[in-house]
Amino acid sequence: MGKRRSDNRKRFFYPLLAAIALLAGCNTTKHLSDKQYLVRKNKLTLKSEKKIANRGELKDNLERYMIQKRNTTLFGIPFKLVFYNRHYYRLHEKPDSMLPKSVERPEIFDSSKMVKSSENMKNYLNTQGYFYARVKDTVMFAKKKAYPEYDVTTGINYTINNVSYNVDDSSISRIVSSSIDETKLEKGKPFTYSLLDDERSRITQLVRNNGYYYFTQENVNFIKGLDTVDKTIFKDVESPFENAINFISPVKGTSDHKMDIIGKIRREDDTEAYTKCVIASVSVYPDFVSIKDLKDSSMFSETIDSVTFRYHNEYIHPRVLFEHIYLSPGQIYSQADYDKTILKLNELGTFQYISIKFRERPGGKGVLDCFIYLSKIKKLDFTVNPVVSSGSTYSLGSSVGVNVRNRNFAKGANLLTVGVNGGIELAYSDGNDFIHNFSLLTKYYGVNASIDFPKFIAPIPNDLFGSGNLPHTILGVGENVIDRVNYFTLGNTSANLSYNWRETDTKTWSFSPAFMNIINVNETDSFRKVLAGNEYLQNSYRATFIEGENISFTFDNINKKHGRNYSFLKLSIEEAGGLLSALNRTGNAFIDTYVTKSFAQYTKFDFDARHYFTLPHSVFAFHFYGGIGLPNGQSTALPYIKQYFAGGPYSLRGWRIRTLGPGSYISTTDTGKNAITTIDRTGDIKLEWNGEYRFPITPLFAGAVKMNGAIFADAGNIWLARKDPGCPGGEFALNTLGQDIAADMGAGARFDIASFLTLRIDVAMPVKKPYIFTDGGWVFNQIDPANSTWRSNNIIFNISIGYPF
């Protein structure tokens, strides 16, 4: 038996190894001339006299400035170049624009590009505050291949010492001095040009917020030291920070390389820069068509608190717009109010184009007329798109949704959304007939509607939060059904009220003071038999009334970090049954009259943390998710729609959906490939870790589809909050946590279709099974890809929409 298995492995692996060796051994230089060399690998060595805090990031950024890089590789093999050489005589005379995306010409070494790369690196280091940087470039040649090497010495990195400002106007000087604590040029901070740029922007914004509409960044410059205040000022519009040595002066006699910086603010030739401006009038055109509207006497006109609205037809109530405009007649001009008005009008989602223009009145120095031009967007929106569910709802897997949106419902910039969705899940079992091997496992469908009001509605007063927090009030209702074939049909009638607002650019909040679910369950006879022997399942699948509230906080700095090394964190707390329980204790007749079902009582805590390390052409993505639901009062288990599950394309991908756990529990009747046909595995507690290395592979169909790859590993499980005799080993306990953790590993492909839809295909296998008690559950010694039975029970394919996290 052992010999036969060994032979199977040989038949499986040897052809694969031979194919890889053949590709790796292809002569990638055979079509090069005698004086041409293929760029095989770039090497960069980074040196500095001091420890670099962000060494890895700095090195990655320097590598981006290498003009000439080696050909694209996958697992070290330049497949695109190999394919190009195989069809060389057909492709080599074609222009680059005519080449298919699946091939690449050889990257031939060019010494001039190497010199330019070195210059780029030195310039970049200069912008990062490293003066006197040196880059030594050399190249090694071997067997028609070139190996460029860049030896980079960063030079001196100065830290900021004293910062002062010289201003030629007393009013401007007072404004700048009042905010000196907010300066970007903090003492002791490493100097970079970007800090100077940020400080120029900050000062310009500050001055413009105080009425100086004509003041610009060109009025702010930095010069070389305290001893040259009265000398000619360096000023170059094209390159205001040309060379640090021209406008900064190192503090002599110090070993830690400090520098003093002087900011100089001058009117220069701009005679209007110091003119304080006042807004005289504000005119709003909600359905602006062309410049002719300014003189069209047939347009309707309406005035609200001195703000004039002129329109052809009342597309949107003027009062709604007025509440989102922060520019008013009689006020001093403020850049912050201008920006906030743009932001708030855009946030309404009802306009395609927003423009705010100012005109100085003839003969009125500093007197501005404000014109706000708004062009309508298409009111109705109809979309057909995939809907990806999550573990906190009844919808599991993927479905198709049809949504109709009204962006200006009731002329109030309210977003009305009505959606219908449905989907199925199929089980697969081995057999001779591929089509008939599939059987219907689950079907689900529903209709949902919501109205999103762009403001707080009672009982939350509008002035509770700042006007810049983008407040929303959302009302939602829905009716959804999940039908687990041969087991049960679960109906969920839902309603909710929630408030969303933004604390900062990276922090948002969502608070639902009231949500409701009415759960109805129709069971089959066979399912009742399953429930009869398991108290936990009985409590999970009963008809239930859920009333509660929740709050969540989200941190997301992807925009602030410009998509590089960014993080995401979401924290949520949910409580249900507290109010009804209190009413019940008071003897209130409401419970007996209107709540005929038992009501759920529980508290849930959830967190979702992610971090993305971005490299020049790839990403390391990490995900840590956890949740705990604690039933209390009359509830001994969470309702089914609030429980956690593991497995599937958005969880541990080495297990089929809802077939893992809880804990180390395993049933002798539902293992292997048949596990998917049994009842759902759910729990009250969940912990999950995921890690992925994501990288590009190749564009397809002339770049319309981008094929990317991933190598991943998942770990985690679900548990019961309380011990249940019908599910031995299913409860959470710290002393068995290591045994209970399941783990898998795998690889996948992602197809980004026109930046609109991502189709994901993952293949994974379990490497640690919590219900195996030998070797801590690790099963590496059982892996046998050549064995069809092992593959059938352990290789899991997932086809899904979107990234897992």
Side-chain angles (χ1 to χ4, degrees):
M1 187 67 174
K3 187 176 186 301
R4 182 180 301 173
R5 179 172 295 182
S6 177
D7 291 341
N8 288 336
R9 288 175 178 171
K10 291 178 181 179
R11 285 197 295 268
F12 181 80
F13 285 111
Y14 287 178
L16 177 62
L17 292 174
I20 294 175
L22 178 63
L23 286 172
C26 286
N27 188 354
T28 53
T29 63
K30 65 180 179 179
H31 295 296
L32 301 185
S33 66
D34 292 339
K35 295 183 179 180
Q36 291 181 326
Y37 296 87
L38 180 71
V39 176
R40 187 64 185 96
K41 185 179 181 181
N42 285 299
K43 181 181 178 181
L44 187 145
T45 303
L46 183 61
K47 301 177 183 177
S48 178
E49 68 174 34
K50 289 185 177 181
K51 183 179 180 180
I52 304 174
N54 58 338
R55 184 181 186 88
E57 181 179 350
L58 182 64
K59 190 173 181 180
D60 288 343
N61 290 338
L62 285 168
E63 288 175 348
R64 288 189 171 94
Y65 288 95
M66 294 179 185
I67 297 176
Q68 197 166 32
K69 297 181 173 64
R70 69 176 183 176
N71 287 94
T72 305
T73 63
L74 179 61
F75 304 118
I77 301 173
F79 285 98
K80 290 186 177 183
L81 176 57
V82 170
F83 296 150
Y84 173 83
N85 283 338
R86 288 188 63 185
H87 304 281
Y88 174 79
Y89 296 105
R90 180 171 59 88
L91 297 175
H92 79 283
E93 293 184 354
K94 286 188 176 184
D96 290 345
S97 59
M98 298 293 291
L99 289 179
K101 298 293 183 179
S102 59
V103 303
E104 282 182 352
R105 298 189 196 278
E107 188 65 45
I108 300 172
F109 174 74
D110 185 337
S111 59
S112 64
K113 290 182 179 180
M114 191 173 191
V115 172
K116 183 62 178 176
S117 296
S118 297
E119 293 175 356
N120 290 344
M121 292 181 195
K122 284 191 287 187
N123 291 336
Y124 170 73
L125 287 170
N126 189 251
T127 64
Q128 297 303 301
Y130 292 95
F131 305 136
Y132 315 111
R134 300 188 306 275
V135 179
K136 180 182 178 182
D137 52 63
T138 57
V139 59
M140 300 293 292
F141 299 102
K143 296 180 180 180
K144 297 295 293 178
K145 293 177 183 178
Y147 298 83
E149 295 183 6
Y150 300 89
D151 191 356
V152 180
T153 304
T154 60
I156 301 172
N157 184 211
Y158 286 89
T159 57
I160 298 171
N161 189 39
N162 295 316
V163 179
S164 59
Y165 290 91
N166 187 287
V167 189
D168 64 348
D169 180 89
S170 58
S171 297
I172 303 293
S173 180
R174 284 193 295 271
I175 293 171
V176 174
S177 299
S178 67
S179 67
I180 196 65
D181 292 340
E182 300 175 8
T183 181
K184 304 294 183 180
L185 303 174
E186 300 176 18
K187 188 171 183 176
K189 200 171 187 178
F191 171 83
T192 65
Y193 283 112
S194 60
L195 285 177
L196 290 182
D197 210 4
D198 291 344
E199 181 69 357
R200 292 178 85 224
S201 298
R202 186 191 71 84
I203 292 174
T204 302
Q205 179 84 3
L206 176 68
V207 174
R208 287 172 66 86
N209 284 344
N210 283 271
Y212 296 90
Y213 171 71
Y214 296 106
F215 190 90
T216 70
Q217 292 190 19
E218 300 307 319
N219 299 108
V220 183
N221 283 278
F222 297 91
I223 57 176
K224 63 182 179 180
L226 296 171
D227 59 332
T228 58
V229 168
D230 296 324
K231 294 182 181 180
T232 302
I233 304 168
F234 167 80
K235 182 173 182 180
D236 184 341
V237 175
E238 293 297 322
S239 179
F241 311 129
E242 183 179 295
N243 189 329
I245 203 64
N246 290 331
F247 62 93
I248 57 179
S249 178
V251 178
K252 297 181 179 179
T254 62
S255 58
D256 51 354
H257 307 299
K258 296 181 180 179
M259 67 168 63
D260 293 336
I261 301 177
I262 301 176
K264 195 160 187 177
I265 301 175
R266 291 290 184 269
R267 185 200 312 253
E268 297 299 338
D269 298 329
D270 189 352
T271 58
E272 295 180 317
Y274 291 171
T275 300
K276 200 164 188 175
C277 298
V278 177
I279 299 174
S281 68
V282 177
S283 300
V284 184
Y285 296 80
D287 54 354
F288 182 73
V289 177
S290 68
I291 198 67
K292 295 179 181 179
D293 290 352
L294 301 180
K295 298 181 179 180
D296 190 345
S297 59
S298 66
M299 296 177 66
F300 296 97
S301 181
E302 182 177 348
T303 301
I304 301 176
D305 289 354
S306 301
V307 176
T308 302
F309 295 84
R310 301 188 70 237
Y311 48 86
H312 300 278
N313 296 289
E314 193 180 78
Y315 167 68
I316 186 171
H317 295 313
R319 173 64 64 176
V320 174
L321 294 178
F322 178 77
E323 293 174 351
H324 290 74
I325 293 173
Y326 299 88
L327 301 166
S328 59
Q331 78 176 40
I332 295 174
Y333 173 82
S334 168
Q335 182 66 32
D337 290 339
Y338 170 92
D339 294 338
K340 190 187 302 181
T341 299
I342 290 283
L343 178 66
K344 294 288 284 183
L345 291 175
N346 264 315
E347 191 259 342
L348 288 176
T350 56
F351 300 105
Q352 185 175 8
Y353 173 80
I354 298 173
S355 176
I356 301 179
K357 302 293 184 183
F358 291 92
R359 297 179 186 172
E360 188 172 86
R361 285 190 172 181
K365 187 175 182 181
V367 180
L368 305 176
D369 290 322
C370 174
F371 300 88
I372 302 177
Y373 305 117
L374 310 170
S375 62
K376 299 186 297 184
I377 200 171
K378 187 178 179 181
K379 183 177 180 180
L380 293 178
D381 181 86
F382 178 86
T383 59
V384 178
N385 58 322
V387 178
V388 176
S389 63
S390 67
S392 61
T393 67
Y394 53 85
S395 298
L396 306 171
S398 300
S399 64
V400 175
V402 179
N403 297 310
V404 178
R405 299 193 303 173
N406 185 333
R407 301 175 185 271
N408 190 27
F409 179 68
K411 298 184 179 181
N414 308 309
L415 176 62
L416 171 65
T417 304
V418 179
V420 178
N421 65 81
I424 61 173
E425 293 175 354
L426 299 175
Y428 180 80
S429 58
D430 289 339
N432 296 324
D433 189 338
F434 177 78
I435 298 298
H436 291 91
N437 289 343
F438 289 94
S439 60
L440 182 62
L441 175 68
T442 309
K443 53 184 177 181
Y444 44 93
Y445 48 88
V447 57
N448 298 274
S450 66
I451 301 179
D452 186 340
F453 302 92
K455 59 183 178 182
F456 285 132
I457 299 177
I460 301 294
N462 281 332
D463 58 356
L464 181 62
F465 300 96
S467 57
N469 293 118
L470 305 179
H472 285 263
T473 302
I474 303 172
L475 293 172
V477 294
E479 180 68 37
N480 296 271
V481 175
I482 177 171
D483 184 357
R484 280 287 267 119
V485 177
N486 299 325
Y487 287 108
F488 64 85
T489 301
L490 185 148
N492 176 16
T493 303
S494 62
N496 68 281
L497 165 67
S498 63
Y499 299 96
N500 298 343
W501 69 95
R502 179 182 299 166
E503 179 183 343
T504 66
D505 290 341
T506 59
K507 301 175 183 178
T508 57
W509 293 84
S510 178
F511 172 55
S512 179
F515 69 85
M516 177 196 73
N517 298 88
I518 301 174
I519 308 299
N520 290 292
V521 182
N522 294 320
E523 307 156 353
T524 65
D525 292 337
S526 60
F527 187 58
R528 290 190 186 97
K529 293 179 181 179
V530 175
L531 297 182
N534 192 311
E535 182 182 355
Y536 179 80
L537 292 180
Q538 291 176 22
N539 293 318
S540 299
Y541 291 95
R542 65 181 179 178
T544 308
F545 180 81
I546 307 173
E547 174 280 327
E549 59 285 329
N550 58 52
I551 186 169
S552 66
F553 165 79
T554 302
F555 172 85
D556 187 352
N557 64 355
I558 184 173
N559 292 325
K560 186 175 181 179
K561 289 281 192 173
H562 306 292
R564 299 191 68 251
N565 297 332
Y566 58 96
S567 302
F568 173 93
L569 174 66
K570 184 174 183 178
L571 305 174
S572 303
I573 302 176
E574 179 171 306
E575 186 277 335
L579 176 61
L580 293 181
S581 178
L583 292 174
N584 196 26
R585 287 195 298 269
T586 62
N588 195 299
F590 172 86
I591 302 297
D592 295 331
T593 304
Y594 296 102
V595 185
T596 58
K597 300 177 176 61
S598 61
F599 59 88
Q601 291 180 264
Y602 64 85
T603 304
K604 282 186 68 178
F605 304 90
D606 294 271
F607 67 86
D608 185 345
R610 312 172 193 178
H611 189 74
Y612 302 84
F613 294 98
T614 56
L615 303 176
H617 302 289
S618 58
V619 175
F620 282 101
F622 298 97
H623 178 224
F624 182 29
Y625 175 85
I628 177 171
L630 300 175
N632 56 72
Q634 66 178 10
S635 298
T636 59
L638 295 179
Y640 175 74
I641 67 168
K642 298 294 181 179
Q643 291 176 338
Y644 301 99
F645 72 91
Y650 303 96
S651 182
L652 275 78
R653 285 160 279 186
W655 276 264
R656 296 179 177 87
I657 191 169
R658 304 188 299 273
T659 63
L660 175 62
S664 60
Y665 170 75
I666 185 66
S667 171
T668 58
T669 62
D670 59 358
T671 58
K673 64 179 182 298
N674 296 318
I676 196 168
T677 64
T678 62
I679 194 60
D680 301 343
R681 305 284 194 85
T682 57
D684 306 313
I685 301 171
K686 181 176 182 178
L687 288 175
E688 184 173 303
W689 299 265
N690 312 93
E692 283 197 354
Y693 174 61
R694 300 170 179 172
F695 51 89
I697 296 179
T698 185
L700 303 172
F701 306 108
V705 177
K706 295 180 180 178
M707 182 181 178
N708 301 313
I711 300 172
F712 59 82
D714 310 306
N717 207 336
I718 57 171
W719 293 267
L720 306 182
R722 301 178 180 180
K723 191 171 183 178
D724 187 279
C727 191
E731 71 279 2
F732 182 86
L734 287 175
N735 62 341
T736 59
L737 180 60
Q739 173 65 40
D740 290 348
I741 294 296
D744 66 62
M745 58 191 301
R750 291 90 167 91
F751 300 89
D752 291 330
I753 304 172
S755 300
F756 169 73
L757 179 71
T758 299
L759 175 65
R760 176 163 56 93
I761 301 174
D762 289 330
V763 57
M765 64 179 181
V767 295
K768 185 178 183 299
K769 300 179 179 181
Y771 44 82
I772 293 180
F773 294 92
T774 57
D775 298 325
W778 295 100
V779 293
F780 284 107
N781 60 338
Q782 299 179 16
I783 296 175
D784 188 4
N787 186 295
S788 61
T789 302
W790 181 90
R791 294 197 305 271
S792 178
N793 289 332
N794 292 275
I795 300 297
I796 305 298
F797 287 89
N798 293 292
I799 301 176
S800 51
I801 302 296
Y803 283 81
F805 56 91

PDB file of all heavy atoms in Angstrom, residues 243-261:
ATOM      1  N   ASN A 243      16.808  74.278  -2.805  1.00  0.00           N
ATOM      2  CA  ASN A 243      17.973  73.626  -2.193  1.00  0.00           C
ATOM      3  C   ASN A 243      18.068  74.092  -0.748  1.00  0.00           C
ATOM      4  O   ASN A 243      18.166  75.274  -0.486  1.00  0.00           O
ATOM      5  CB  ASN A 243      19.246  74.000  -2.950  1.00  0.00           C
ATOM      6  CG  ASN A 243      20.430  73.169  -2.492  1.00  0.00           C
ATOM      7  OD1 ASN A 243      20.495  72.764  -1.340  1.00  0.00           O
ATOM      8  ND2 ASN A 243      21.369  72.924  -3.395  1.00  0.00           N
ATOM      9  N   ALA A 244      18.037  73.132   0.171  1.00  0.00           N
ATOM     10  CA  ALA A 244      17.989  73.474   1.593  1.00  0.00           C
ATOM     11  C   ALA A 244      19.142  74.397   1.989  1.00  0.00           C
ATOM     12  O   ALA A 244      18.980  75.277   2.826  1.00  0.00           O
ATOM     13  CB  ALA A 244      18.020  72.211   2.439  1.00  0.00           C
ATOM     14  N   ILE A 245      20.304  74.236   1.399  1.00  0.00           N
ATOM     15  CA  ILE A 245      21.460  75.009   1.796  1.00  0.00           C
ATOM     16  C   ILE A 245      21.270  76.485   1.485  1.00  0.00           C
ATOM     17  O   ILE A 245      21.945  77.347   2.037  1.00  0.00           O
ATOM     18  CB  ILE A 245      22.731  74.463   1.101  1.00  0.00           C
ATOM     19  CG1 ILE A 245      23.981  74.836   1.888  1.00  0.00           C
ATOM     20  CG2 ILE A 245      22.781  74.917  -0.331  1.00  0.00           C
ATOM     21  CD1 ILE A 245      24.029  74.218   3.273  1.00  0.00           C
ATOM     22  N   ASN A 246      20.306  76.811   0.599  1.00  0.00           N
ATOM     23  CA  ASN A 246      20.057  78.189   0.235  1.00  0.00           C
ATOM     24  C   ASN A 246      19.189  78.917   1.249  1.00  0.00           C
ATOM     25  O   ASN A 246      19.161  80.140   1.263  1.00  0.00           O
ATOM     26  CB  ASN A 246      19.376  78.270  -1.134  1.00  0.00           C
ATOM     27  CG  ASN A 246      20.320  77.886  -2.242  1.00  0.00           C
ATOM     28  OD1 ASN A 246      21.526  78.067  -2.126  1.00  0.00           O
ATOM     29  ND2 ASN A 246      19.772  77.337  -3.309  1.00  0.00           N
ATOM     30  N   PHE A 247      18.404  78.172   2.034  1.00  0.00           N
ATOM     31  CA  PHE A 247      17.479  78.887   2.905  1.00  0.00           C
ATOM     32  C   PHE A 247      17.397  78.341   4.320  1.00  0.00           C
ATOM     33  O   PHE A 247      16.584  78.765   5.103  1.00  0.00           O
ATOM     34  CB  PHE A 247      16.094  78.942   2.295  1.00  0.00           C
ATOM     35  CG  PHE A 247      15.467  77.595   2.082  1.00  0.00           C
ATOM     36  CD1 PHE A 247      14.634  77.027   3.054  1.00  0.00           C
ATOM     37  CD2 PHE A 247      15.697  76.895   0.918  1.00  0.00           C
ATOM     38  CE1 PHE A 247      14.055  75.799   2.842  1.00  0.00           C
ATOM     39  CE2 PHE A 247      15.108  75.663   0.723  1.00  0.00           C
ATOM     40  CZ  PHE A 247      14.297  75.114   1.681  1.00  0.00           C
ATOM     41  N   ILE A 248      18.269  77.412   4.685  1.00  0.00           N
ATOM     42  CA  ILE A 248      18.350  76.950   6.060  1.00  0.00           C
ATOM     43  C   ILE A 248      19.796  76.972   6.497  1.00  0.00           C
ATOM     44  O   ILE A 248      20.714  76.876   5.687  1.00  0.00           O
ATOM     45  CB  ILE A 248      17.761  75.537   6.228  1.00  0.00           C
ATOM     46  CG1 ILE A 248      18.470  74.559   5.304  1.00  0.00           C
ATOM     47  CG2 ILE A 248      16.292  75.508   5.983  1.00  0.00           C
ATOM     48  CD1 ILE A 248      17.961  73.150   5.444  1.00  0.00           C
ATOM     49  N   SER A 249      19.981  77.106   7.776  1.00  0.00           N
ATOM     50  CA  SER A 249      21.356  77.251   8.268  1.00  0.00           C
ATOM     51  C   SER A 249      21.581  76.297   9.424  1.00  0.00           C
ATOM     52  O   SER A 249      20.943  76.408  10.452  1.00  0.00           O
ATOM     53  CB  SER A 249      21.583  78.683   8.747  1.00  0.00           C
ATOM     54  OG  SER A 249      22.860  78.839   9.270  1.00  0.00           O
ATOM     55  N   PRO A 250      22.504  75.319   9.287  1.00  0.00           N
ATOM     56  CA  PRO A 250      22.791  74.393  10.393  1.00  0.00           C
ATOM     57  C   PRO A 250      23.322  75.149  11.602  1.00  0.00           C
ATOM     58  O   PRO A 250      24.061  76.120  11.472  1.00  0.00           O
ATOM     59  CB  PRO A 250      23.845  73.455   9.825  1.00  0.00           C
ATOM     60  CG  PRO A 250      23.743  73.609   8.331  1.00  0.00           C
ATOM     61  CD  PRO A 250      23.301  75.012   8.091  1.00  0.00           C
ATOM     62  N   VAL A 251      22.920  74.714  12.787  1.00  0.00           N
ATOM     63  CA  VAL A 251      23.438  75.304  14.011  1.00  0.00           C
ATOM     64  C   VAL A 251      24.845  74.770  14.240  1.00  0.00           C
ATOM     65  O   VAL A 251      25.034  73.575  14.410  1.00  0.00           O
ATOM     66  CB  VAL A 251      22.524  74.956  15.203  1.00  0.00           C
ATOM     67  CG1 VAL A 251      23.098  75.537  16.484  1.00  0.00           C
ATOM     68  CG2 VAL A 251      21.134  75.484  14.947  1.00  0.00           C
ATOM     69  N   LYS A 252      25.819  75.666  14.247  1.00  0.00           N
ATOM     70  CA  LYS A 252      27.222  75.258  14.343  1.00  0.00           C
ATOM     71  C   LYS A 252      27.547  74.772  15.756  1.00  0.00           C
ATOM     72  O   LYS A 252      26.945  75.167  16.741  1.00  0.00           O
ATOM     73  CB  LYS A 252      28.123  76.422  13.963  1.00  0.00           C
ATOM     74  CG  LYS A 252      27.937  76.861  12.513  1.00  0.00           C
ATOM     75  CD  LYS A 252      28.866  77.998  12.161  1.00  0.00           C
ATOM     76  CE  LYS A 252      28.695  78.409  10.713  1.00  0.00           C
ATOM     77  NZ  LYS A 252      29.581  79.524  10.353  1.00  0.00           N
ATOM     78  N   GLY A 253      28.519  73.898  15.813  1.00  0.00           N
ATOM     79  CA  GLY A 253      28.987  73.410  17.093  1.00  0.00           C
ATOM     80  C   GLY A 253      28.140  72.311  17.690  1.00  0.00           C
ATOM     81  O   GLY A 253      28.286  72.000  18.861  1.00  0.00           O
ATOM     82  N   THR A 254      27.236  71.732  16.914  1.00  0.00           N
ATOM     83  CA  THR A 254      26.393  70.656  17.428  1.00  0.00           C
ATOM     84  C   THR A 254      26.682  69.391  16.646  1.00  0.00           C
ATOM     85  O   THR A 254      27.048  69.426  15.487  1.00  0.00           O
ATOM     86  CB  THR A 254      24.900  71.012  17.284  1.00  0.00           C
ATOM     87  OG1 THR A 254      24.612  71.168  15.906  1.00  0.00           O
ATOM     88  CG2 THR A 254      24.564  72.276  18.033  1.00  0.00           C
ATOM     89  N   SER A 255      26.526  68.262  17.321  1.00  0.00           N
ATOM     90  CA  SER A 255      26.806  66.980  16.673  1.00  0.00           C
ATOM     91  C   SER A 255      25.536  66.302  16.189  1.00  0.00           C
ATOM     92  O   SER A 255      25.635  65.296  15.502  1.00  0.00           O
ATOM     93  CB  SER A 255      27.534  66.058  17.665  1.00  0.00           C
ATOM     94  OG  SER A 255      26.735  65.866  18.829  1.00  0.00           O
ATOM     95  N   ASP A 256      24.381  66.834  16.609  1.00  0.00           N
ATOM     96  CA  ASP A 256      23.144  66.176  16.212  1.00  0.00           C
ATOM     97  C   ASP A 256      22.448  66.876  15.053  1.00  0.00           C
ATOM     98  O   ASP A 256      21.280  66.649  14.794  1.00  0.00           O
ATOM     99  CB  ASP A 256      22.191  66.047  17.403  1.00  0.00           C
ATOM    100  CG  ASP A 256      21.991  67.365  18.139  1.00  0.00           C
ATOM    101  OD1 ASP A 256      22.678  68.333  17.778  1.00  0.00           O
ATOM    102  OD2 ASP A 256      21.153  67.399  19.062  1.00  0.00           O
ATOM    103  N   HIS A 257      23.160  67.778  14.379  1.00  0.00           N
ATOM    104  CA  HIS A 257      22.710  68.361  13.124  1.00  0.00           C
ATOM    105  C   HIS A 257      21.324  69.006  13.249  1.00  0.00           C
ATOM    106  O   HIS A 257      20.338  68.545  12.680  1.00  0.00           O
ATOM    107  CB  HIS A 257      22.681  67.306  12.023  1.00  0.00           C
ATOM    108  CG  HIS A 257      23.976  66.575  11.871  1.00  0.00           C
ATOM    109  ND1 HIS A 257      25.147  67.211  11.542  1.00  0.00           N
ATOM    110  CD2 HIS A 257      24.274  65.262  12.020  1.00  0.00           C
ATOM    111  CE1 HIS A 257      26.129  66.315  11.479  1.00  0.00           C
ATOM    112  NE2 HIS A 257      25.630  65.126  11.773  1.00  0.00           N
ATOM    113  N   LYS A 258      21.250  70.099  13.995  1.00  0.00           N
ATOM    114  CA  LYS A 258      20.018  70.860  14.124  1.00  0.00           C
ATOM    115  C   LYS A 258      20.039  72.034  13.154  1.00  0.00           C
ATOM    116  O   LYS A 258      21.085  72.455  12.691  1.00  0.00           O
ATOM    117  CB  LYS A 258      19.851  71.369  15.555  1.00  0.00           C
ATOM    118  CG  LYS A 258      19.690  70.255  16.586  1.00  0.00           C
ATOM    119  CD  LYS A 258      19.512  70.837  17.969  1.00  0.00           C
ATOM    120  CE  LYS A 258      19.341  69.747  19.012  1.00  0.00           C
ATOM    121  NZ  LYS A 258      19.186  70.308  20.386  1.00  0.00           N
ATOM    122  N   MET A 259      18.845  72.566  12.882  1.00  0.00           N
ATOM    123  CA  MET A 259      18.772  73.725  12.003  1.00  0.00           C
ATOM    124  C   MET A 259      17.700  74.687  12.482  1.00  0.00           C
ATOM    125  O   MET A 259      16.729  74.297  13.128  1.00  0.00           O
ATOM    126  CB  MET A 259      18.459  73.297  10.570  1.00  0.00           C
ATOM    127  CG  MET A 259      17.070  72.705  10.388  1.00  0.00           C
ATOM    128  SD  MET A 259      16.620  72.546   8.661  1.00  0.00           S
ATOM    129  CE  MET A 259      17.853  71.386   8.121  1.00  0.00           C
ATOM    130  N   ASP A 260      17.914  75.965  12.210  1.00  0.00           N
ATOM    131  CA  ASP A 260      16.918  77.006  12.453  1.00  0.00           C
ATOM    132  C   ASP A 260      16.209  77.325  11.150  1.00  0.00           C
ATOM    133  O   ASP A 260      16.821  77.302  10.081  1.00  0.00           O
ATOM    134  CB  ASP A 260      17.569  78.286  12.993  1.00  0.00           C
ATOM    135  CG  ASP A 260      18.159  78.089  14.384  1.00  0.00           C
ATOM    136  OD1 ASP A 260      17.688  77.166  15.082  1.00  0.00           O
ATOM    137  OD2 ASP A 260      19.076  78.846  14.755  1.00  0.00           O
ATOM    138  N   ILE A 261      14.913  77.595  11.233  1.00  0.00           N
ATOM    139  CA  ILE A 261      14.120  77.921  10.047  1.00  0.00           C
ATOM    140  C   ILE A 261      13.384  79.227  10.298  1.00  0.00           C
ATOM    141  O   ILE A 261      12.820  79.434  11.375  1.00  0.00           O
ATOM    142  CB  ILE A 261      13.110  76.800   9.725  1.00  0.00           C
ATOM    143  CG1 ILE A 261      13.835  75.480   9.482  1.00  0.00           C
ATOM    144  CG2 ILE A 261      12.252  77.180   8.531  1.00  0.00           C
ATOM    145  CD1 ILE A 261      12.903  74.316   9.242  1.00  0.00           C
TER     146      ILE A 261
END
